[in-house]
Amino acid sequence: MELQTFLEHMNNRQYVQAGSEVHRYMTRLSDEARRITTQINCSYRTPEEIRELFFRLIGKPEDDTFGLFPPFYTDCGKNITVGKNVFINAGCQFQDQGGITIGDGSLIGHNVVIATLNHDQNPKKRASLIPAPVVIGKNVWIGANSTILPGVTIHDGAIIAAGAVVTKDVPENMIVGGVPARVIKKATED
């Protein structure tokens, strides 16, 4: 299997049967991701070195407006897309097989978890996976210790309060918080 075939399968939200060719390829990508994230996380790196390693991890051209504070964890890496002026703070965990897109100017707080896979609900098929992308718009702020679940879109200008568990789409310029996250109020605009 080639990377492009894998990404098409995942981005089309196609079922991943445990033990299938797609599932085995996913395991190989996880091994590569662990190698690169270990390089990011296990010794001091300059901001430039971190940026170079991150873009090698995701397989996209390097952008000098991107910032990341380690440690950073992902079990794939190849299905992450980031815009300009994105910052990811320490301790974040991205399960990106189903696709994570982060828009320009977005800020991701400490220890944020973004998940893009669900397991089959049938106990006999539990090891099989169902991908669903997470899309984060422009100028979004995701507070520390938040969790974003598969299939969620967070629209431009939204704020996710610290500790929130986001289970459904967040409207533009709204602040959400809680477990599960609910709209609290409109974000201020100048």
Side-chain angles (χ1 to χ4, degrees):
M1 173 167 280
E2 293 183 3
L3 179 60
Q4 191 56 41
T5 305
F6 170 78
L7 292 174
E8 287 172 9
H9 186 95
M10 301 307 283
N11 292 336
N12 288 323
R13 297 183 178 210
Q14 293 179 348
Y15 190 80
V16 178
Q17 184 173 339
S20 67
E21 181 182 10
V22 173
H23 195 254
R24 290 189 308 272
Y25 189 79
M26 184 184 302
T27 300
R28 286 194 299 274
L29 289 177
S30 293
D31 188 52
E32 180 183 341
R34 283 191 309 275
R35 277 195 302 273
I36 297 172
T37 56
T38 297
Q39 291 177 13
I40 291 171
N41 297 333
C42 289
S43 66
Y44 173 77
R45 302 279 181 192
T46 67
E48 295 79 17
E49 291 170 324
I50 291 169
R51 192 168 38 251
E52 185 274 324
L53 286 165
F54 179 83
F55 283 94
R56 184 184 333 150
L57 172 70
I58 70 172
K60 298 193 173 65
E62 192 171 332
D63 171 25
D64 63 2
T65 68
F66 174 80
L68 169 71
F69 284 176
F72 174 77
Y73 304 96
T74 184
D75 51 5
C76 181
K78 299 301 185 214
N79 213 358
I80 298 172
T81 302
V82 295
K84 300 283 186 190
N85 297 302
V86 168
F87 177 73
I88 300 172
N89 219 323
C92 290
Q93 301 176 51
F94 288 11
Q95 180 197 52
D96 66 285
Q97 290 92 333
I100 296 173
T101 302
I102 303 172
D104 296 347
S106 288
L107 307 172
I108 313 296
H110 289 89
N111 302 316
V112 168
V113 173
I114 301 176
T116 65
L117 295 174
N118 277 312
H119 288 275
D120 195 309
Q121 291 185 10
N122 180 337
K124 294 177 184 174
K125 299 178 181 180
R126 189 63 43 88
S128 295
L129 301 163
I130 304 160
V134 169
V135 178
I136 299 167
K138 295 177 181 178
N139 301 308
V140 169
W141 174 21
I142 299 179
N145 297 304
S146 296
T147 300
I148 315 301
L149 295 182
V152 167
T153 296
I154 301 171
H155 291 276
D156 295 352
I159 297 172
I160 310 303
V165 176
V166 183
T167 61
K168 60 185 178 182
D169 292 356
V170 177
E172 187 172 319
N173 295 317
M174 290 300 198
I175 300 172
V176 301
V179 180
R182 301 193 189 299
V183 172
I184 297 170
K185 66 180 183 176
K186 186 172 176 76
T188 60
E189 297 179 54
D190 287 340

